[in-house]
């Protein structure tokens, strides 16, 4: 054999052997907790250790679930599937519960790795996760919707305790109303408690906005995610242990950026690198946010002052001497504050004087609480007050709207984007398939296009949206697929009201009006009707969902191979100094 032929043959054989060795290693099944062949492009350490462990363990169950549905895949082909619920008040809360109920009946619920919610869907999620085994019994949460809510004394007891804390805000009041009147519970469970549970349920990711950065137009400082292990800014990659959320570094001794593993004393000790004796001296309170406050934050659309002013009755605008119209422009917030402060002082002064005349007892206690604790919050219009864990951070990439303020103001993420796409885009969670359930009041597909624009702004991959489908906004189909690629996830988009359950665009609008969020809690008949609509949407599209899950698994495996091929040409060129394509030919 001539030298060049021998050299080419030898290199080709080496190329094939190395490729075979790597691919066989890549696709060997791995034990739970081991490395997978499909590594995200961003460092895996950007996820908390607790979430990484959860993902590793949960994927084994997902694999078993997919195999029971007839999809035979190996450990490295398990797709990361995220179910996203949009905002939409109690319509979204009820519809999400119905959707999950049907997915459970169709054996699809255990295929989910993640679940994300905004506003109303977030209320439902917070209610579900009261039960560590909720995904095996979604009927319990549904039954609670038509049961009596907590007693007023129970609600007031929670509010009084909460109002003694420095970060008490209107979100707490709103959360107690949502929890008690719509979700029919006052759940003291802490978000960080979920970190200590098993992987029976999908991993929950809640979303909020940092109001100041949102109003300042700061893209990377506005989206805030909350998970059982850590909470923080999605695009800034700055997080704090969720068990310490709301505590200042001076209170806890923990610096910004330290990542939690679980929400207990031992886990925080590990995160902070201190011994138990030191913890006792520091008197760290390991607690974090409970589900009532969480629901108030993620559902606080009323925190938007301008929208609230637009809905005020004329008689109240006249009293406050606040008016706005398209020709006059938006009411200046400082002007509003000045006028409201003056009006509130007129109201509060005689009420304070009247308190002195009241005899001691329950009535005086309640009136005193309203006058001294609640009304001042209304004057300031403060929502979602949370201690800022990156206050005075030296990181120059943190926007000034975050570094210069002691408190964050966390509000409803639906004010910006009514579906929680941001935490599930990019390589950090390496999501392959997003199932987006849209229960929004606005036009269908709107949240999808807004998410696309957001992805472009932050430089994350997103599937191509054919503008021709936007012509169907008023009367959408019940199932859309926007295929992903090598980096972008595939998105399945499912609007609540659609061509299958509505005769035309007029009926879509009529259904929206029937299930509007601006009304008293739904009665049993209305809940049953909405549950059926949501369940039918999932049932009608079971086979399509399974097809997309299978495609996501195939694409997961193909992406693993492509990553190896990216590396292999460099190896062959290093060995031969030749173009690898020439070698193979």
């Amino acid at each position: 054999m001539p030298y060049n032929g021998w050299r080419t043959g030898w290199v080709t054989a080496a190329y094939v052997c190395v490729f075979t060795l790597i691919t066989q290693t890549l696709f060997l099944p791995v034990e739970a907790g081991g490395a997978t062949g499909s590594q995200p492009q961003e460092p895996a350490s950007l996820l908390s250790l607790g979430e990484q462990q959860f993902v590793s363990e949960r994927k084994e169950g997902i694999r078993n679930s997919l195999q029971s549905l007839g999809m035979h895949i190996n450990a490295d082909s398990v797709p990361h599937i995220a179910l996203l619920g949009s905002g939409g008040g109690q319509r979204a809360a009820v519809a999400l519960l119905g959707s999950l109920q049907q997915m459970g009946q169709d054996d699809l619920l255990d295929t989910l790795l993640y679940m994300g919610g905004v506003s109303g869907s977030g209320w439902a999620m917070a209610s579900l996760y009261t039960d560590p085994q909720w995904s095996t019994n979604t009927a319990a949460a549904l039954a609670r919707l038509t049961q009596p809510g907590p007693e007023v004394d129970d609600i007031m007891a929670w509010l009084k305790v909460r109002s003694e804390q420095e970060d008490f805000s209107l979100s707490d009041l709103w959360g107690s109303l949502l929890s008690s009147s719509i979700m029919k519970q006052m759940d003291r469970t802490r978000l960080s408690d979920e970190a200590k549970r098993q992987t029976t349920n999908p991993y929950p990711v809640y979303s909020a906005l940092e109001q100041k950065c949102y109003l300042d137009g700061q893209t990377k400082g506005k989206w805030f995610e909350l998970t059982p292990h850590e909470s923080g800014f999605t695009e800034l990659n700055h997080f704090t242990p969720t068990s310490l959320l709301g505590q200042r570094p001076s209170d806890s001794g923990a610096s910004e950026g330290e990542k939690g593993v679980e929400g207990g004393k031992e886990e925080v000790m590990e995160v902070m690198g201190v011994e138990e004796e030191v913890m006792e001296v520091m008197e760290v309170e390991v607690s974090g946010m409970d589900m009532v406050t969480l629901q108030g934050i993620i559902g606080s659309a009323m925190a938007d002052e301008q929208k609230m002013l637009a809905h005020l009755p004329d008689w109240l605008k006249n009293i406050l001497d606040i008016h706005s119209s398209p020709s006059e422009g938006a009411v200046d917030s400082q002007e509003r504050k000045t006028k409201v402060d003056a009006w509130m002082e007129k109201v509060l002064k005689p009420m304070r004087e009247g308190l002195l005349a009241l005899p001691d007892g329950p009535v005086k206690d309640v009136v005193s609480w309203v006058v001294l604790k609640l009304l001042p919050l209304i004057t300031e219009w403060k929502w979602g007050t949370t201690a800022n864990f990156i206050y005075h951070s030296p990181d120059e990439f943190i926007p000034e709207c975050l570094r210069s303020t002691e408190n964050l103001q966390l509000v409803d993420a639906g004010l910006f984007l009514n579906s929680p796409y941001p935490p599930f885009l990019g390589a950090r969670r390496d999501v392959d398939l997003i199932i987006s359930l849209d229960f929004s009041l606005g036009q269908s597909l709107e949240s999808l296009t807004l998410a696309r624009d957001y992805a472009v702004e932050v430089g994350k991959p997103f599937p191509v949206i054919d503008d021709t489908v936007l012509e169907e906004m008023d009367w959408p189909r019940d199932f859309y697929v926007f295929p992903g690629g090598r980096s972008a996830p595939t998105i399945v988009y499912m609007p609540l009201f659609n061509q299958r359950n509505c005769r035309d665009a007029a009926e879509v609008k009529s259904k929206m009006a029937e299930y509007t969020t601006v009304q008293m809690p739904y009665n049993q008949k209305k809940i049953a009707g909405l549950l059926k609509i949501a369940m039918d949407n999932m049932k009608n599209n079971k086979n399509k969902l399974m097809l997309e899950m299978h495609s996501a698994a195939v694409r997961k495996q193909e992406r693993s191979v492509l990553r190896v091929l990216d590396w292999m040409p460099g190896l062959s060129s290093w060995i031969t100094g030749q173009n690898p394509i020439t070698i193979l030919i």
Side-chain angles (χ1 to χ4, degrees):
M1 180 184 293
Y3 172 75
N4 287 340
W6 173 85
R7 181 173 180 243
T8 300
W10 180 85
V11 171
T12 301
Y15 190 102
V16 172
C17 288
V18 173
F19 177 79
T20 302
L21 177 63
I22 292 176
T23 52
Q24 285 184 345
T25 302
L26 185 66
F27 296 118
L28 280 175
V30 297
E31 297 297 327
T36 65
S38 178
Q39 295 294 339
Q41 295 172 3
E42 298 172 19
S45 60
L46 288 180
L47 284 180
S48 68
L49 296 177
E51 184 175 340
Q52 290 181 59
Q53 181 179 351
F54 178 97
V55 168
S56 179
E57 294 175 3
R58 173 80 177 173
K59 284 174 71 173
E60 184 60 31
I62 293 173
R63 182 189 180 195
N64 293 335
S65 179
L66 292 172
Q67 288 182 333
S68 72
L69 294 169
M71 306 178 206
H72 300 291
I73 58 176
N74 58 38
D76 293 297
S77 301
V78 177
H80 292 190
I81 302 173
L83 181 77
L84 310 189
S86 78
Q90 58 183 322
R91 177 181 59 250
V94 174
L96 180 62
L97 292 177
S99 301
L100 294 171
Q101 169 83 342
Q102 188 62 48
M103 290 188 78
Q105 293 179 8
D106 290 338
D107 298 322
L108 298 179
L109 195 52
D110 288 337
T111 66
L112 303 178
L113 178 60
Y114 288 108
M115 189 157 72
V118 162
S119 199
S121 288
W123 309 348
M125 284 176 58
S127 177
L128 282 171
Y129 280 88
T130 301
D131 179 3
Q133 304 290 324
W134 71 260
S135 60
T136 64
N137 184 23
T138 53
L142 290 175
R144 191 165 52 240
L145 293 176
T146 56
Q147 295 173 354
E151 298 291 335
V152 174
D153 289 347
D154 190 28
I155 300 170
M156 285 304 302
W158 182 88
L159 281 170
K160 286 182 178 179
V161 171
R162 187 75 182 91
S163 65
E164 295 303 317
Q165 299 178 32
E166 185 180 357
D167 57 355
F168 180 58
S169 74
L170 290 175
S171 297
D172 298 300
L173 176 66
W174 185 236
S176 67
L177 294 174
L178 292 176
S179 295
S180 59
S181 64
I182 295 178
M183 306 316 300
K184 306 298 178 66
Q185 61 183 162
M186 286 290 290
D187 182 17
R188 273 79 162 181
T189 302
R190 308 237 172 229
L191 175 57
S192 58
D193 291 343
E194 184 67 23
K196 295 175 285 187
R197 296 177 179 175
Q198 301 301 312
T199 60
T200 306
N201 307 316
Y203 193 79
V205 181
Y206 302 89
S207 289
L209 288 181
E210 205 298 307
Q211 190 176 36
K212 290 184 290 296
C213 282
Y214 167 58
L215 295 175
D216 285 352
Q218 291 285 345
T219 299
K220 291 194 173 184
K222 62 188 171 190
W223 200 274
F224 193 93
E225 63 182 67
L226 304 98
T227 76
H229 293 95
E230 65 180 12
S231 299
F233 295 92
T234 303
E235 307 304 341
L236 292 174
N237 284 323
H238 278 272
F239 300 92
T240 189
T242 297
S243 57
L244 300 180
L245 182 63
Q247 298 187 43
R248 306 181 195 284
S250 58
D251 297 331
S252 66
S255 62
E256 180 279 320
E258 291 173 321
K259 296 180 177 292
V261 179
E262 294 185 356
K265 179 178 178 181
E266 293 80 7
E267 289 74 23
V268 175
M269 285 168 56
E270 181 180 340
V271 170
M272 294 169 61
V274 298
E275 300 297 330
E276 185 170 6
E277 293 79 4
V278 179
M279 286 284 288
E280 292 174 354
V281 172
M282 290 166 56
E283 297 182 346
V284 176
E285 179 188 355
V286 179
S287 56
M289 185 181 295
D290 71 17
M291 292 308 208
V292 180
T293 296
L294 177 64
Q295 289 179 75
I297 285 175
I298 61 181
S300 56
M302 291 194 301
D304 188 317
E305 294 181 75
Q306 296 303 325
K307 288 184 179 179
M308 276 300 298
L309 287 173
H311 289 91
L312 284 179
D314 289 339
W315 63 266
L316 185 54
K317 288 181 180 179
N318 290 331
I319 291 176
L320 300 176
D321 190 24
I322 295 176
H323 300 276
S324 63
S325 67
S327 60
E328 296 170 349
V331 176
D332 179 77
S333 59
Q334 186 57 46
E335 176 190 359
R336 179 204 65 81
K337 187 177 186 309
T338 300
K339 291 182 176 180
V340 171
D341 284 353
W343 181 79
M344 289 292 288
E345 184 57 33
K346 289 181 181 179
V347 173
L348 285 172
K349 186 177 180 179
M351 292 183 74
R352 293 193 196 101
E353 294 172 351
L355 272 177
L356 299 175
L358 286 175
D360 292 340
V363 174
K364 184 174 183 178
D365 290 343
V366 172
V367 174
S368 177
W369 183 83
V370 170
V371 172
L372 301 179
K373 296 289 186 179
L374 181 58
L375 291 181
L377 288 179
I378 295 175
T379 302
E380 297 176 4
W381 207 246
K382 289 292 185 183
W383 293 77
T385 303
T386 307
N388 183 4
F389 64 93
I390 52 177
Y391 179 48
H392 283 165
S393 170
D395 188 341
E396 61 182 10
F397 294 103
I398 294 178
E400 185 62 24
C401 56
L402 295 178
R403 283 192 291 172
S404 60
T405 180
E406 291 190 47
N407 291 316
L408 305 174
Q409 305 299 149
L410 301 179
V411 298
D412 193 329
L415 294 171
F416 166 65
L417 176 57
N418 209 27
S419 193
Y421 287 97
F424 304 100
L425 299 178
R428 183 166 172 254
R429 290 193 169 96
D430 199 28
V431 172
D432 303 287
L433 176 64
I434 290 175
I435 303 171
S436 178
L437 308 181
D438 194 349
F439 314 121
S440 301
L441 179 62
Q443 286 185 308
S444 296
L445 298 161
E446 182 181 36
S447 63
L448 192 65
T449 57
L450 290 174
R452 175 194 59 187
D453 297 342
Y454 177 88
V456 170
E457 193 170 359
V458 298
K460 290 185 176 178
F462 199 85
V464 174
I465 308 297
D466 186 349
D467 286 342
T468 59
V469 303
L470 302 182
E471 299 171 4
E472 302 173 1
M473 278 186 165
D474 295 331
W475 190 38
R477 285 173 273 155
D478 64 333
F479 194 91
Y480 293 84
V481 178
F482 301 96
R486 186 166 175 183
S487 301
T490 290
I491 295 179
V492 166
Y493 175 81
M494 300 177 65
L496 179 62
F497 302 120
N498 50 67
Q499 293 179 16
R500 189 184 282 260
N501 55 37
C502 293
R503 292 184 300 271
D504 51 28
E507 188 172 0
V508 170
K509 186 177 292 187
S510 174
K511 289 288 186 184
M512 287 287 188
E514 179 182 356
Y515 292 102
T516 180
T517 58
V518 188
Q519 59 178 294
M520 297 297 289
Y522 296 162
N523 58 34
Q524 190 167 348
K525 180 180 178 181
K526 189 163 285 191
I527 289 173
L530 187 54
L531 286 174
K532 185 178 188 308
I533 291 171
M535 293 176 72
D536 284 347
N537 279 345
M538 300 304 296
K539 185 177 181 179
N540 293 336
N541 291 294
K542 175 184 176 181
N543 291 335
K544 292 180 181 178
L545 281 172
M546 289 175 59
L547 179 62
E548 294 307 320
M549 289 175 180
H550 181 263
S551 296
V554 171
R555 190 168 60 255
K556 188 85 166 181
Q557 188 162 345
E558 290 174 346
R559 286 163 64 188
S560 298
V561 174
L562 287 171
R563 285 166 182 162
V564 174
L565 291 176
D566 277 345
W567 177 69
M568 290 301 292
L571 174 65
S572 63
S573 297
W574 174 73
I575 294 174
T576 66
Q578 300 183 49
N579 187 319
I581 301 300
T582 304
I583 294 175
L584 292 175
I585 294 174

